Amino acid sequence: MVIADMPSRPSISPSPWRRRWQRWGIGVCRLSLIALAMAALAFSQKTDEDDPADLRVIAMQHFPGGLMDDQAEDGFYAVRDAESTTLGWITRSNPAARSILGYAGPSEVAIVLDAARKVKSIDFLSSADTAGHVEKVRRDLPFWQQWQGRGEAALGDYAQPILVSGASLTSDSIARGIAARFGSVGMDRFFPDDWKLEQIKEWFPQADRRADTPRAGISTVHQGEKMVGHVLHSSRMGVQERGFQGSSDVLVGMGVDGRIAGVLLLGSRDNEPYRSDVTDELRYADGFRGRAIEEITRSEDPSEFLLVSGASTTVRSVYGTVVEMLRRWQQPPTSPTLPWQWPVAALWIGAGIWLGTRGDKRSRVVAALMSIAAGIALGLLVGQDQWIGWARHGISWRNALPMLALSAVALMVPAFTGKNFYCSRICPHGAAQTLLGMVAKKRKALPVWLHRSLQHLPWLSLLVIWGLAILGWQLAFAHAEPFEIWNTGFIAFLPAAIFTIGLIAALFLPQAYCHYGCPTGALLKFLTHAPGRWTRRDSFATIFVVVAWLVRFVV
Ligand code: SF4
């Protein structure tokens, strides 16, 4: 029997809402896999800060023939000559600087002090930042020389350091790390207690309340509505000068007449009886009281203001701290301003997304020109080194906001929409290839077999980069991509070579680097491929993440 003309069962295709939920669900799974791989990296970091071998090498360069102590005091290794005379000290900026990030991670330097505890040299030790930025900073002599000759007490002052153009975040993180090492951050661990109104009653008996100013460590004191003076707090201002065992926490009262109302030792890491002797001397015979600021800052003799026999080292450190506090008090306050790069980056990313929704040639050209201009001006390109650095060292929200926004667009938009706006309209390197492809008259296509083989290269390089990172290799992964050239110029060889070869190839093969080289493009392709469907790539990525976590527990 032939059944003819029987109506066939209508095929049931999922509703648009269901398709959307499937796409979002798979997108969330893929983003979660990337997040889990980054988390595996974050938990597998080791430090070798207890090993002073690197400091010893630097110490020998600055003090030829000297011997560096095996043990540090407060992180300072003394360097001595054959007669045990101290030639100087050397210390590293970590651990205080470890949480201070540049473009991709923290940097560490060695600080060499001479016998008078003045800076002899600041030497680079290591950096998790991109290789090109680091190289720029390393070559910039004025940057390193700005600390030379500064006394230890002034090193906690971060105010307006000279930064390296084109590597400002890396150089800024180094400057902030040095300031942190000498007190700008982390002083709270030593002196956790804030001052109380009772402690300054002798200076301002009528004061009934305090108010903190926007300047760190500087407060005003009031009687009702009337201001009766200022109080400066050294540990909160980040002023630190080492005495016999460590620094001291000092309070300075300033009257409304501009004269010193009094100086108080709130705490000190120096030992007894020096601490008590200096505390008592300040309490009962405060030699600073009633003095004008210039009298104190111009004097070279601490004993004019504070004389305690047998406690000269503590006296010198307290005096140095007071002088530095007064110097900063006199500096005009600086108001934080929004960097111009932030609104420009926001406009560029927004315009890129908008142009990404339009498919015409003119939109492509406008987006490409805009992205190239933004790439040259801002140097912002997402890449594996950046993401691995964030996973390993955390994110500096203050510095990384434009890069975070760019990364969020690059990752979230493909995961939830299935469209890769970053590659199609935002990436400056992709845009440069697009324009070169339009300029070139003759376009070629690779033989199918070669195209099929080469298209695996971006996936392979993505796998190798993340595999080595998971295994703990401290490589400059920025060298595997051409992106830092947009930021630092032609400094590092490998990125420069990949940049040049990729762009020349784009004259003949459309988007040659994107198709046959880019690991970042492969990662974004992973987010956009087969929206709403679990594929072999997802299974492979899941296995990779499981292995990464196993390695994290074993290695
Ligand atoms: S594939 Fe790589 S180079 Fe190409 S547009 Fe995407 S991120 Fe940029």
Side-chain angles (χ1 to χ4, degrees):
M1 191 173 75
V2 177
I3 302 171
D5 297 334
M6 277 232 348
S8 60
R9 241 171 113 188
S11 64
I12 301 168
S13 60
S15 68
W17 264 108
R18 186 170 168 164
R19 279 207 302 272
R20 191 169 297 165
W21 279 110
Q22 280 176 342
R23 196 171 64 222
W24 289 351
I26 293 291
V28 169
C29 284
R30 290 171 182 169
L31 285 176
S32 304
L33 286 171
I34 295 172
L36 282 169
M38 292 177 83
L41 269 183
F43 283 99
S44 59
Q45 294 310 297
K46 296 176 186 167
T47 68
D48 60 353
E49 284 159 19
D50 295 334
D51 181 1
D54 50 354
L55 294 187
R56 200 179 297 281
V57 172
I58 293 171
M60 292 311 100
Q61 287 167 2
H62 292 287
F63 303 104
L67 292 168
M68 192 181 95
D69 285 358
D70 291 330
Q71 297 297 324
E73 267 188 61
D74 277 343
F76 286 89
Y77 290 89
V79 186
R80 305 174 200 278
D81 65 11
E83 279 82 44
S84 277
T85 307
T86 304
L87 302 172
W89 286 267
I90 184 164
T91 186
R92 60 173 81 244
S93 55
N94 278 1
R98 201 188 294 141
S99 58
I100 299 169
L101 309 181
Y103 283 95
S107 299
E108 188 182 15
V109 294
I111 301 112
V112 184
L113 302 178
D114 64 15
R117 295 196 84 90
K118 289 192 182 331
V119 174
K120 190 173 170 67
S121 172
I122 306 279
D123 286 34
F124 176 83
L125 283 178
S126 65
S127 177
D129 259 347
T130 40
H133 293 118
V134 173
E135 198 51 42
K136 272 199 159 188
V137 174
R138 292 187 73 165
R139 292 180 189 184
D140 195 291
L141 265 185
F143 173 74
W144 298 102
Q145 285 170 344
Q146 67 184 300
W147 286 279
Q148 256 170 23
R150 273 201 215 172
E152 185 183 356
L155 292 179
D157 185 5
Y158 162 73
Q160 298 173 341
I162 301 168
L163 299 181
V164 178
S165 155
S168 55
L169 289 186
T170 306
S171 51
D172 184 46
S173 75
I174 291 173
R176 285 187 291 126
I178 293 169
R181 173 62 185 86
F182 289 88
S184 271
V185 177
M187 280 298 290
D188 291 2
R189 289 197 301 271
F190 300 142
F191 304 112
D193 297 331
D194 204 354
W195 60 272
K196 300 192 176 51
L197 223 44
E198 303 87 75
Q199 291 170 300
I200 51 126
K201 274 286 176 194
E202 197 180 323
W203 307 336
F204 308 112
Q206 65 281 52
D208 52 23
R209 70 181 177 90
R210 67 178 268 192
D212 293 333
T213 71
R215 296 174 70 183
I218 299 178
S219 310
T220 51
V221 283
H222 302 257
Q223 179 187 25
E225 290 308 305
K226 185 179 160 203
M227 190 186 77
V228 294
H230 283 86
V231 174
L232 321 183
H233 188 180
S234 67
S235 63
R236 302 307 189 267
M237 292 174 83
V239 181
Q240 178 180 214
E241 177 157 327
R242 187 185 157 86
F244 198 63
Q245 296 279 348
S247 58
S248 296
D249 194 17
V250 176
L251 217 55
V252 174
M254 299 290 307
V256 284
D257 59 357
R259 289 182 173 267
I260 310 294
V263 173
L264 192 70
L265 192 65
L266 279 185
S268 175
R269 301 191 74 206
D270 272 357
N271 41 7
E272 296 291 1
Y274 313 120
R275 181 169 49 198
S276 300
D277 288 350
V278 172
T279 304
D280 290 346
E281 177 68 14
L282 285 170
R283 184 175 297 151
Y284 301 115
D286 186 350
F288 293 100
R289 192 177 301 163
R291 304 281 195 138
I293 293 175
E294 288 69 27
E295 273 185 79
I296 297 169
T297 51
R298 285 192 192 141
S299 170
E300 305 243 312
D301 181 11
S303 65
E304 263 189 69
F305 314 97
L306 184 59
L307 181 61
V308 182
S309 78
S312 58
T313 308
T314 308
V315 164
R316 179 191 50 74
S317 92
V318 169
Y319 171 72
T321 302
V322 171
V323 169
E324 179 62 19
M325 290 164 80
L326 295 176
R327 190 185 69 76
R328 290 193 204 175
W329 155 255
Q330 287 184 309
Q331 281 176 353
T334 50
S335 57
T337 51
L338 184 72
W340 64 268
Q341 290 91 340
W342 291 19
V344 173
L347 276 175
W348 165 47
I349 296 168
I353 293 173
W354 178 68
L355 289 167
T357 59
R358 303 161 61 96
D360 56 297
K361 185 177 173 187
R362 196 199 295 181
S363 301
R364 274 211 320 274
V365 174
V366 171
L369 289 170
M370 186 183 67
S371 291
I372 290 170
I376 293 167
L378 304 172
L380 292 176
L381 288 91
V382 300
Q384 300 314 295
D385 188 64
Q386 184 79 50
W387 291 339
I388 288 169
W390 283 350
R392 281 177 162 167
H393 311 291
I395 299 172
S396 167
W397 302 97
R398 185 175 73 91
N399 293 333
L401 216 54
M403 188 56 101
L404 270 172
L406 197 60
S407 297
V409 167
L411 293 169
M412 311 274 258
V413 173
F416 290 106
T417 67
K419 295 194 172 72
N420 184 353
F421 286 163
Y422 179 76
C423 282
S424 66
R425 293 292 185 272
I426 299 177
C427 173
H429 202 66
Q433 293 174 79
T434 303
L435 285 189
L436 284 171
M438 287 177 175
V439 167
K441 295 270 186 306
K442 288 194 175 171
R443 318 300 303 280
K444 290 197 185 334
L446 292 179
V448 176
W449 65 269
L450 190 56
H451 164 74
R452 285 210 177 125
S453 308
L454 291 182
Q455 69 182 356
H456 296 301
L457 282 180
W459 297 98
L460 189 66
S461 90
L462 183 67
L463 183 68
V464 169
I465 287 172
W466 277 84
L468 293 176
I470 294 287
L471 287 172
W473 288 45
Q474 301 292 325
L475 297 175
F477 292 111
H479 284 184
E481 297 186 291
F483 303 139
E484 71 167 46
I485 298 298
W486 289 86
N487 201 309
T488 62
F490 290 80
I491 299 240
F493 173 74
L494 270 177
I498 300 171
F499 181 95
T500 311
I501 293 168
L503 290 189
I504 292 172
L507 286 166
F508 311 102
L509 290 169
Q511 307 296 119
Y513 175 72
C514 296
H515 290 312
Y516 305 121
C518 184
T520 298
L523 188 71
L524 299 180
K525 250 185 226 159
F526 166 68
L527 291 168
T528 49
H529 84 284
R533 266 195 311 119
W534 187 267
T535 67
R536 274 189 307 173
R537 285 182 189 170
D538 297 299
S539 302
F540 183 84
T542 308
I543 293 168
F544 179 86
V545 169
V546 171
V547 172
W549 276 91
L550 288 175
V551 169
R552 170 239 173 295
F553 283 113
V554 174
V555 177

